[in-house]
Amino acid sequence: MRVAYGADDANETTRAVQQALADRDIEVVDVTGGQQWPDIGAAVGKAVTDGTADLGVVLCWTGTGTAIAANKVSGVRAALAWDPWIAAGARRWNDANVLAMSLKRLAPDVAVEVLTAFLDTEGPDPDEAANITRLGTLDD
């Protein structure tokens, strides 16, 4: 699996997420490169939609900005998650392909739990196929 990764700051939470990805032997496509959060979110989204990565992970202070930026890329379904249930549900019921998290409000261990739930959840739920297809028709 390849995961596009971007964060607009570095701290214990971002380091824990990066270590969790490394511990799973996931190939990380780091798009951070000193960019600001809108460009980081968009770069992760583009990496997912162009096939460079299978999934994406973005972190910023709230997680919201990078999620919004990623969602500007057609075909991206970025979900802001703060606990494992939300992350799993986003994969299962919304076919989320980018996980957004707050690097300021999530403790490192919680961020890793959220990441793990996102990566380990097989998706999407076949019962949601029509709704997920409908999301694609809403892209401009």
Side-chain angles (χ1 to χ4, degrees), residues 5-9 18 29-36 39-40 43-44:
Y5 170 87
D8 72 342
D9 203 349
Q18 289 173 309
V29 179
D30 191 335
V31 302
T32 302
Q35 301 182 78
Q36 297 297 312
D39 299 314
I40 291 168
V44 167

